[in-house]
Amino acid sequence: MFNITREEIQWGDSTLVLETGHVARQATGAVMASMGETTVLCTVVGARSPKPGQDFFPLTVNYQEKFYAAGKIPGGYFKREGRPTEAETLICRLIDRPIRPLFPEGFKNEVQVICTVVSYDGENQPDVVAMVGASAALTISGIPFMGPIGCARVGYKDGEYILNPSKEALEDSELDLVVSGTHDAVLMVESEANELSEDVMLGAVVYGHDQQQAVINGIINLAEKCAKEPWDLAEAPEWKEEKAEIAKIGEAGLRDAYATVDKVDRVAKISAVKADVAAAFEARIADENSPMTGVIMGDLVKKLEKDIVRGDIIKTGKRIDGRKLDDVRDIEAQAGVLPRAHGSALFTRGETQGLVVATLGTSDDVQYVDSLDGTNKNGFMLHYNFPPYSVGECGRLGGAGRREIGHGKLAWRAVHAVMPEDDSFPYTIRLVSEITESNGSSSMASVCGASLAMMDAGVPIKRPVSGIAMGLIKEGDDFAVLSDILGDEDHLGDMDFKVAGTEKGLTALQMDIKITGITREIMEVALEQAGRGRGYILDEMSKGLSGTRTEMSAHAPRIETMKIPVDKIREVIGTGGKVIREIVEQTGAKVSIEDDGTINIASSNAEEIDAAKAWITGIVAEPEVGVIYKGKVVRLMDFGAFVNFMGSKDGLVHISELKEERVENVTDVVKEGDEVYVKCLEIDPRGKVRLSMRVVDQETGETDPNAAPPKEAPKGGGKRGPRRPRD
């Protein structure tokens, strides 16, 4: 019934298993990829023909984690997996980016890749397994794919690189880097680092590329056993005459357009040229017997654009806006631009601008995230928004898309390494980057703006972080690396290489290649050139704000931290949370308690914090014999009054200790609610406290020098204590 093919690959200390022919046999390609007890089902389906008029390659990658894979039931009301989480979306992008450039130019058939985590052991991370499985499924499917690709996760600790570290090992690692590529070259890098040098980062990329060769060879072995027949692709016509005609009509206009520095004017000139070309080809496109279509014409115009821009850069070193290859556009950095925000910054680089806002919250504001590993708390968030007006267009406003989630996470990784520890700055921090203009890397503008906004908010980050986007034009053996690329240079170029870091080292690296790969030499040039650019950007940022402000915004909450014994936590919380709710209601401050006895008290009013702190101190403090306290009468009995004198602690003032003279009835001296001064006389082994009002001057709260010394505790359970002798 089943025709199973299986390939085992020794990958470092782990065994990777690829199996096909058993599950999902109706898919164009399907592979069950396993490492340890983590298993991902990877399927590929391709349409045999493109949709008429399709002018792009419709590749869709979906990655989904099923909670049953870890033996869990989803939280929430519906108890089933919903829309993709942020983590799932990021892994979709991680799989998509290295495989997309490996489909043939002109291939426009719909292809869908679905990777489903069906088993998770908590050690072997499923994202890398899913990338390998997707590559294997594509390779055996027969769909035209110039793979396979391999991948590897690289950690770094004590000067040594670690292959595919576990989730636990990554917590102590100075690096979390995922690299993917073909046998010959790197295609994609995604990383977060703890201020590492360019040499260490480059070494990690090379190490990861070397370690993935075993995976590539294993996928080839699998394909040799069971791959389907490759699809026949019709040979695309060369369109020589049409190319020449388009060049005659539009080359001069496009050269003039790409010599225009201003983006709006440049776009207008390019649109005019395209309109002239469309008018010249209108009749042929309308002719049903002509092979020419609007899609083909658009592709030919785009190719002419690429030839003009790329050729000028390679030959003359001159870019679209007249800059040299390593020039960074003019920068203006401003901090404190919004009066009510806790922290804000406006970062402008050429025609790219980001308004970044920092908001400080308490532990009540942390984000709870359900995953296969359980529920995790996230106290640092960075959200990126890209409204259509930023590029002068009309568009739909909705939830965050894959691009916005990816750009936000890249900026998050870039600044995460410089965040303060929770012990020293126990705030929940949310950053929002609103991209108000875009022509170039808005994610790197978000990194720069995030650093400035946090410093403006008084967040004690270790050092400011800057970021820069590098580009590449490669023709044969000739290449040019571009600093601070424009949108058109990204669109028409071969590489998008984003580098972020401090003056001490790199904190994030992201690279996407649109060609079949780049060499170590190109990466070395790009990193060195990016280092100079980052230094310049840091200098310009310092003109807006040179360091973290010493005073926080008046609108931001203040948080004070105190520590109590763990065995006192129950007393502060109270039965059913009664005590802590009363503290919050009465003082107005927010109070949160950690399992280790750490208490954070938050309010924008210092008096509220002091009141809550005093209340908690009173609850957890132990009374001392001989010390005078101020308390409140809470209960009257025939034999005395109970006084609450320290948080939740009550003590008994026996009737004989109410006043110096004889007292017939307790109510003759005090009533419930009275505030009185009491002195602690004794604490018995059971914790019961004996108090005295008699020996304290109730006006001053000082010891009454005229009072007789305290007597021993009354014996017996009668109404009255022992009679004191009269003078």
Side-chain angles (χ1 to χ4, degrees):
M1 184 174 183
F2 300 112
N3 184 18
I4 299 173
T5 305
R6 180 184 175 94
E7 182 72 21
E8 292 191 7
I9 304 164
Q10 190 60 40
W11 196 15
D13 296 332
S14 302
T15 300
L16 178 67
V17 179
L18 303 177
E19 182 182 282
T20 187
H22 193 192
V23 179
R25 291 172 295 163
Q26 295 184 46
T28 311
V31 169
M32 193 78 84
S34 301
M35 192 159 67
E37 293 183 338
T38 293
T39 302
V40 184
L41 172 61
C42 302
T43 63
V44 176
V45 174
R48 279 289 181 173
S49 59
K51 293 180 181 178
Q54 187 82 50
D55 62 349
F56 66 95
F57 173 40
L59 170 66
T60 305
V61 176
N62 297 99
Y63 168 89
Q64 50 192 2
E65 295 178 344
K66 300 297 185 179
F67 275 75
Y68 60 70
K72 299 179 183 296
I73 295 176
Y77 182 79
F78 293 103
K79 297 300 179 185
R80 74 175 296 165
E81 294 81 2
R83 65 181 183 180
T85 64
E86 180 178 288
E88 288 172 319
T89 300
L90 292 169
I91 296 173
C92 288
R93 287 170 54 86
L94 204 64
I95 300 168
D96 183 300
R97 285 156 46 197
I99 65 175
R100 186 173 290 272
L102 295 182
F103 289 89
E105 185 178 355
F107 181 71
K108 293 183 171 60
N109 299 35
E110 184 174 5
V111 175
Q112 184 179 38
V113 178
I114 299 177
C115 299
T116 306
V117 181
V118 294
S119 179
Y120 176 58
D121 60 13
E123 295 182 9
N124 297 287
Q125 298 190 65
D127 53 357
V128 171
V129 179
M131 293 176 72
V132 174
S135 172
L138 281 166
T139 303
I140 67 172
S141 68
I143 295 173
F145 175 67
M146 297 180 290
I149 63 165
C151 67
R153 170 172 269 107
V154 180
Y156 184 74
K157 183 180 179 182
D158 300 330
E160 298 289 336
Y161 294 116
I162 308 167
L163 176 64
N164 294 329
S166 66
K167 194 175 185 71
E168 183 179 352
L170 274 178
E171 294 178 0
D172 298 324
S173 175
E174 296 182 77
L175 174 68
D176 181 4
L177 179 144
V178 177
V179 58
S180 180
T182 61
H183 180 75
D184 299 316
V186 173
L187 287 170
M188 185 277 297
V189 176
E190 184 78 40
S191 67
E192 178 185 347
N194 187 19
E195 297 182 288
L196 298 177
S197 69
E198 282 85 350
D199 288 342
V200 171
M201 294 294 282
L202 182 57
V205 173
V206 173
Y207 173 82
H209 185 251
D210 290 342
Q211 294 299 317
Q212 66 188 248
Q213 299 307 312
V215 174
I216 294 173
N217 293 332
I219 294 174
I220 293 172
N221 292 338
L222 180 73
E224 288 175 346
K225 301 174 188 175
C226 63
K228 297 179 181 179
E229 288 296 319
W231 291 10
D232 292 328
L233 289 179
E235 191 171 329
E238 296 186 7
W239 305 104
K240 289 183 179 180
E241 293 182 5
E242 288 78 6
K243 286 180 181 178
E245 186 176 354
I246 289 174
K248 184 177 179 180
I249 297 170
E251 183 172 356
L254 288 174
R255 288 192 180 278
D256 177 58
Y258 281 109
T260 303
V261 174
D262 183 76
K263 177 186 175 183
V264 175
D265 293 341
R266 181 168 64 251
V267 170
K269 290 182 178 181
I270 293 172
S271 297
V273 171
K274 290 181 177 179
D276 291 341
V277 174
F281 280 80
E282 183 176 6
R284 273 170 282 184
I285 293 172
D287 186 354
E288 294 181 357
N289 297 319
S290 171
M292 176 58 64
T293 65
V295 172
I296 295 171
M297 184 204 70
D299 288 343
L300 295 178
V301 173
K302 181 179 178 181
K303 190 174 188 316
L304 178 60
E305 290 181 79
K306 293 181 71 173
D307 291 342
I308 291 171
V309 173
R310 296 164 64 88
D312 286 348
I313 290 174
I314 290 290
K315 293 173 185 175
T316 67
K318 185 178 179 181
R319 299 166 63 177
I320 294 173
D321 56 0
R323 285 183 290 149
K324 297 178 182 178
L325 298 181
D326 60 351
D327 281 349
V328 178
R329 289 170 289 175
D330 291 339
I331 290 173
E332 183 171 344
Q334 300 168 268
V337 295
L338 300 178
R340 293 288 297 188
H342 299 166
S344 60
L346 185 67
F347 180 84
T348 308
R349 185 191 62 241
E351 294 171 307
T352 297
Q353 184 181 75
L355 175 65
V356 185
V357 184
T359 306
L360 305 181
T362 67
S363 59
D364 291 346
D365 299 307
V366 298
Q367 180 184 29
Y368 289 87
V369 181
D370 284 337
S371 70
L372 297 182
D373 291 300
T375 301
N376 303 308
K377 291 195 296 184
N378 179 19
F380 171 46
M381 296 157 277
L382 195 155
H383 298 145
Y384 166 102
N385 297 314
F386 192 86
Y389 66 76
S390 65
V391 288
E393 297 177 356
C394 300
R396 184 181 67 86
L397 283 179
R402 289 188 176 188
R403 181 181 181 277
E404 289 177 304
I405 292 173
H407 279 42
K409 188 62 175 182
L410 174 59
W412 184 94
R413 289 190 179 105
V415 297
H416 184 239
V418 300
M419 299 300 291
E421 299 293 334
D422 290 342
D423 293 344
S424 61
F425 196 76
Y427 287 85
T428 297
I429 301 171
R430 182 187 184 227
L431 296 170
V432 178
S433 176
E434 305 284 0
I435 302 304
T436 51
E437 294 181 36
S438 181
N439 183 18
S441 177
S442 53
S443 62
M444 295 297 96
S446 300
V447 171
C448 301
S451 293
L452 292 168
M454 285 194 290
M455 291 193 294
D456 183 51
V459 180
I461 62 175
K462 298 173 185 175
R463 279 165 289 278
V465 181
S466 68
I468 188 170
M470 311 296 292
L472 173 71
I473 304 295
K474 189 174 185 296
E475 296 289 348
D477 294 331
D478 297 327
F479 69 89
V481 175
L482 316 179
S483 295
D484 181 24
I485 55 174
L486 300 173
D488 285 332
E489 291 171 336
D490 182 11
H491 180 62
L492 301 174
D494 298 321
M495 176 180 76
D496 184 9
F497 191 19
K498 297 183 176 75
V499 186
T502 67
E503 62 182 5
K504 185 179 177 182
L506 300 185
T507 57
L509 194 68
Q510 185 186 84
M511 181 173 69
D512 291 305
I513 305 300
K514 302 170 188 176
I515 54 179
T516 54
I518 62 171
T519 62
R520 176 171 183 149
E521 178 192 3
I522 294 175
M523 285 190 285
E524 286 177 341
V525 172
L527 283 171
E528 188 277 330
Q529 199 166 306
R532 286 187 274 120
R534 287 192 301 104
Y536 167 75
I537 295 171
L538 281 173
D539 290 341
E540 295 300 303
M541 288 168 57
S542 67
K543 296 177 183 178
L545 186 60
S546 59
T548 299
R549 298 195 191 280
T550 55
E551 291 292 329
M552 295 171 61
S553 166
H555 307 296
R558 266 59 176 172
I559 297 180
E560 286 197 21
T561 301
M562 61 185 296
K563 192 94 169 181
I564 65 171
V566 174
D567 59 0
K568 297 290 184 180
I569 294 176
R570 181 179 298 178
E571 295 181 33
V572 176
I573 295 175
T575 304
K578 177 182 177 182
V579 175
I580 196 169
R581 283 199 304 270
E582 186 178 2
I583 296 172
V584 172
E585 291 170 2
Q586 294 294 325
T587 66
K590 290 184 177 181
V591 180
S592 63
I593 305 178
E594 303 294 335
D595 293 339
D596 64 352
T598 299
I599 298 182
N600 292 319
I601 307 171
S603 174
S604 56
N605 186 322
E607 293 181 357
E608 293 178 352
I609 292 177
D610 291 341
K613 196 172 182 179
W615 194 325
I616 294 169
T617 301
I619 294 173
V620 301
E622 295 293 340
E624 297 181 36
V625 174
V627 176
I628 295 174
Y629 300 94
K630 188 174 184 179
K632 180 184 289 188
V633 178
V634 292
R635 189 155 51 104
L636 300 179
M637 305 295 289
D638 290 343
F639 53 83
F642 285 96
V643 176
N644 176 248
F645 68 100
M646 181 184 283
S648 60
K649 289 185 174 60
D650 295 345
L652 173 64
V653 180
H654 192 267
I655 192 170
S656 62
E657 293 292 339
L658 288 173
K659 294 189 71 173
E660 187 68 22
E661 59 269 19
R662 180 183 176 85
V663 176
E664 293 293 338
N665 296 296
V666 174
T667 53
D668 294 340
V669 181
V670 293
K671 62 181 181 294
E672 287 189 13
D674 285 353
E675 291 189 347
V676 296
Y677 288 104
V678 293
K679 187 172 186 177
C680 180
L681 300 181
E682 181 186 14
I683 305 172
D684 72 14
R686 294 175 296 173
K688 293 186 176 181
V689 181
R690 188 164 67 94
L691 304 173
S692 174
M693 288 173 52
R694 179 181 59 80
V695 297
V696 184
D697 187 324
Q698 294 299 312
E699 295 292 331
T700 65
E702 302 291 335
T703 299
D704 186 349
N706 298 318
K711 304 296 182 181
E712 292 185 4
K715 307 299 182 184
K719 172 183 174 182
R720 314 263 321 209
R723 183 185 299 271
R724 287 195 300 273
R726 296 183 181 276
D727 294 336

PDB file of all heavy atoms in Angstrom, residues 172-187:
ATOM      1  N   ASP A 172      21.801  30.819  27.122  1.00  0.00           N
ATOM      2  CA  ASP A 172      23.149  31.209  27.542  1.00  0.00           C
ATOM      3  C   ASP A 172      24.038  31.566  26.353  1.00  0.00           C
ATOM      4  O   ASP A 172      25.216  31.876  26.536  1.00  0.00           O
ATOM      5  CB  ASP A 172      23.807  30.061  28.326  1.00  0.00           C
ATOM      6  CG  ASP A 172      23.047  29.727  29.595  1.00  0.00           C
ATOM      7  OD1 ASP A 172      22.514  30.662  30.220  1.00  0.00           O
ATOM      8  OD2 ASP A 172      22.980  28.539  29.949  1.00  0.00           O
ATOM      9  N   SER A 173      23.492  31.513  25.156  1.00  0.00           N
ATOM     10  CA  SER A 173      24.288  31.780  23.958  1.00  0.00           C
ATOM     11  C   SER A 173      24.341  33.271  23.663  1.00  0.00           C
ATOM     12  O   SER A 173      23.380  34.014  23.917  1.00  0.00           O
ATOM     13  CB  SER A 173      23.689  31.040  22.753  1.00  0.00           C
ATOM     14  OG  SER A 173      24.364  31.377  21.565  1.00  0.00           O
ATOM     15  N   GLU A 174      25.463  33.722  23.124  1.00  0.00           N
ATOM     16  CA  GLU A 174      25.604  35.119  22.724  1.00  0.00           C
ATOM     17  C   GLU A 174      25.090  35.363  21.309  1.00  0.00           C
ATOM     18  O   GLU A 174      25.116  36.497  20.825  1.00  0.00           O
ATOM     19  CB  GLU A 174      27.074  35.545  22.798  1.00  0.00           C
ATOM     20  CG  GLU A 174      27.661  35.526  24.194  1.00  0.00           C
ATOM     21  CD  GLU A 174      29.093  36.006  24.217  1.00  0.00           C
ATOM     22  OE1 GLU A 174      29.315  37.230  24.132  1.00  0.00           O
ATOM     23  OE2 GLU A 174      29.995  35.163  24.294  1.00  0.00           O
ATOM     24  N   LEU A 175      24.606  34.324  20.663  1.00  0.00           N
ATOM     25  CA  LEU A 175      24.185  34.430  19.271  1.00  0.00           C
ATOM     26  C   LEU A 175      23.067  33.443  18.986  1.00  0.00           C
ATOM     27  O   LEU A 175      23.079  32.316  19.465  1.00  0.00           O
ATOM     28  CB  LEU A 175      25.384  34.133  18.352  1.00  0.00           C
ATOM     29  CG  LEU A 175      25.130  34.045  16.841  1.00  0.00           C
ATOM     30  CD1 LEU A 175      24.759  35.418  16.288  1.00  0.00           C
ATOM     31  CD2 LEU A 175      26.359  33.499  16.125  1.00  0.00           C
ATOM     32  N   ASP A 176      22.092  33.891  18.206  1.00  0.00           N
ATOM     33  CA  ASP A 176      21.069  33.001  17.649  1.00  0.00           C
ATOM     34  C   ASP A 176      20.980  33.341  16.169  1.00  0.00           C
ATOM     35  O   ASP A 176      20.373  34.343  15.781  1.00  0.00           O
ATOM     36  CB  ASP A 176      19.730  33.212  18.347  1.00  0.00           C
ATOM     37  CG  ASP A 176      18.640  32.288  17.802  1.00  0.00           C
ATOM     38  OD1 ASP A 176      18.951  31.435  16.950  1.00  0.00           O
ATOM     39  OD2 ASP A 176      17.476  32.435  18.223  1.00  0.00           O
ATOM     40  N   LEU A 177      21.615  32.521  15.345  1.00  0.00           N
ATOM     41  CA  LEU A 177      21.716  32.810  13.910  1.00  0.00           C
ATOM     42  C   LEU A 177      21.210  31.626  13.109  1.00  0.00           C
ATOM     43  O   LEU A 177      21.570  30.482  13.391  1.00  0.00           O
ATOM     44  CB  LEU A 177      23.161  33.141  13.530  1.00  0.00           C
ATOM     45  CG  LEU A 177      23.478  33.461  12.069  1.00  0.00           C
ATOM     46  CD1 LEU A 177      24.549  34.553  11.984  1.00  0.00           C
ATOM     47  CD2 LEU A 177      23.955  32.222  11.308  1.00  0.00           C
ATOM     48  N   VAL A 178      20.355  31.901  12.132  1.00  0.00           N
ATOM     49  CA  VAL A 178      19.886  30.880  11.199  1.00  0.00           C
ATOM     50  C   VAL A 178      20.393  31.252   9.816  1.00  0.00           C
ATOM     51  O   VAL A 178      20.175  32.380   9.353  1.00  0.00           O
ATOM     52  CB  VAL A 178      18.351  30.769  11.202  1.00  0.00           C
ATOM     53  CG1 VAL A 178      17.896  29.751  10.151  1.00  0.00           C
ATOM     54  CG2 VAL A 178      17.841  30.366  12.573  1.00  0.00           C
ATOM     55  N   VAL A 179      21.084  30.334   9.176  1.00  0.00           N
ATOM     56  CA  VAL A 179      21.631  30.568   7.837  1.00  0.00           C
ATOM     57  C   VAL A 179      21.117  29.486   6.905  1.00  0.00           C
ATOM     58  O   VAL A 179      20.962  28.330   7.300  1.00  0.00           O
ATOM     59  CB  VAL A 179      23.180  30.592   7.865  1.00  0.00           C
ATOM     60  CG1 VAL A 179      23.744  29.298   8.417  1.00  0.00           C
ATOM     61  CG2 VAL A 179      23.756  30.861   6.482  1.00  0.00           C
ATOM     62  N   SER A 180      20.820  29.889   5.667  1.00  0.00           N
ATOM     63  CA  SER A 180      20.326  28.939   4.678  1.00  0.00           C
ATOM     64  C   SER A 180      20.981  29.231   3.342  1.00  0.00           C
ATOM     65  O   SER A 180      21.271  30.388   3.018  1.00  0.00           O
ATOM     66  CB  SER A 180      18.799  29.045   4.554  1.00  0.00           C
ATOM     67  OG  SER A 180      18.315  28.133   3.595  1.00  0.00           O
ATOM     68  N   GLY A 181      21.209  28.181   2.566  1.00  0.00           N
ATOM     69  CA  GLY A 181      21.833  28.380   1.273  1.00  0.00           C
ATOM     70  C   GLY A 181      21.903  27.106   0.474  1.00  0.00           C
ATOM     71  O   GLY A 181      21.473  26.029   0.913  1.00  0.00           O
ATOM     72  N   THR A 182      22.459  27.246  -0.719  1.00  0.00           N
ATOM     73  CA  THR A 182      22.681  26.096  -1.583  1.00  0.00           C
ATOM     74  C   THR A 182      24.053  25.502  -1.278  1.00  0.00           C
ATOM     75  O   THR A 182      24.739  25.937  -0.337  1.00  0.00           O
ATOM     76  CB  THR A 182      22.623  26.524  -3.051  1.00  0.00           C
ATOM     77  OG1 THR A 182      23.650  27.495  -3.294  1.00  0.00           O
ATOM     78  CG2 THR A 182      21.275  27.134  -3.384  1.00  0.00           C
ATOM     79  N   HIS A 183      24.454  24.541  -2.089  1.00  0.00           N
ATOM     80  CA  HIS A 183      25.767  23.924  -1.897  1.00  0.00           C
ATOM     81  C   HIS A 183      26.886  24.944  -2.033  1.00  0.00           C
ATOM     82  O   HIS A 183      27.889  24.880  -1.313  1.00  0.00           O
ATOM     83  CB  HIS A 183      25.961  22.801  -2.919  1.00  0.00           C
ATOM     84  CG  HIS A 183      27.280  22.110  -2.804  1.00  0.00           C
ATOM     85  ND1 HIS A 183      27.564  21.218  -1.788  1.00  0.00           N
ATOM     86  CD2 HIS A 183      28.416  22.199  -3.559  1.00  0.00           C
ATOM     87  CE1 HIS A 183      28.805  20.780  -1.920  1.00  0.00           C
ATOM     88  NE2 HIS A 183      29.342  21.349  -2.994  1.00  0.00           N
ATOM     89  N   ASP A 184      26.714  25.933  -2.933  1.00  0.00           N
ATOM     90  CA  ASP A 184      27.800  26.850  -3.255  1.00  0.00           C
ATOM     91  C   ASP A 184      27.745  28.181  -2.517  1.00  0.00           C
ATOM     92  O   ASP A 184      28.783  28.821  -2.344  1.00  0.00           O
ATOM     93  CB  ASP A 184      27.819  27.138  -4.770  1.00  0.00           C
ATOM     94  CG  ASP A 184      28.043  25.875  -5.579  1.00  0.00           C
ATOM     95  OD1 ASP A 184      28.924  25.083  -5.194  1.00  0.00           O
ATOM     96  OD2 ASP A 184      27.324  25.674  -6.578  1.00  0.00           O
ATOM     97  N   ALA A 185      26.579  28.650  -2.114  1.00  0.00           N
ATOM     98  CA  ALA A 185      26.502  30.025  -1.616  1.00  0.00           C
ATOM     99  C   ALA A 185      25.386  30.190  -0.592  1.00  0.00           C
ATOM    100  O   ALA A 185      24.460  29.377  -0.497  1.00  0.00           O
ATOM    101  CB  ALA A 185      26.281  30.984  -2.785  1.00  0.00           C
ATOM    102  N   VAL A 186      25.491  31.278   0.178  1.00  0.00           N
ATOM    103  CA  VAL A 186      24.504  31.627   1.195  1.00  0.00           C
ATOM    104  C   VAL A 186      23.365  32.403   0.546  1.00  0.00           C
ATOM    105  O   VAL A 186      23.576  33.254  -0.318  1.00  0.00           O
ATOM    106  CB  VAL A 186      25.161  32.483   2.299  1.00  0.00           C
ATOM    107  CG1 VAL A 186      24.123  32.997   3.275  1.00  0.00           C
ATOM    108  CG2 VAL A 186      26.215  31.662   3.033  1.00  0.00           C
ATOM    109  N   LEU A 187      22.138  32.105   0.948  1.00  0.00           N
ATOM    110  CA  LEU A 187      20.967  32.794   0.427  1.00  0.00           C
ATOM    111  C   LEU A 187      20.271  33.663   1.461  1.00  0.00           C
ATOM    112  O   LEU A 187      19.674  34.677   1.120  1.00  0.00           O
ATOM    113  CB  LEU A 187      19.947  31.770  -0.095  1.00  0.00           C
ATOM    114  CG  LEU A 187      20.282  31.063  -1.405  1.00  0.00           C
ATOM    115  CD1 LEU A 187      19.309  29.929  -1.640  1.00  0.00           C
ATOM    116  CD2 LEU A 187      20.247  32.044  -2.554  1.00  0.00           C
TER     117      LEU A 187
END
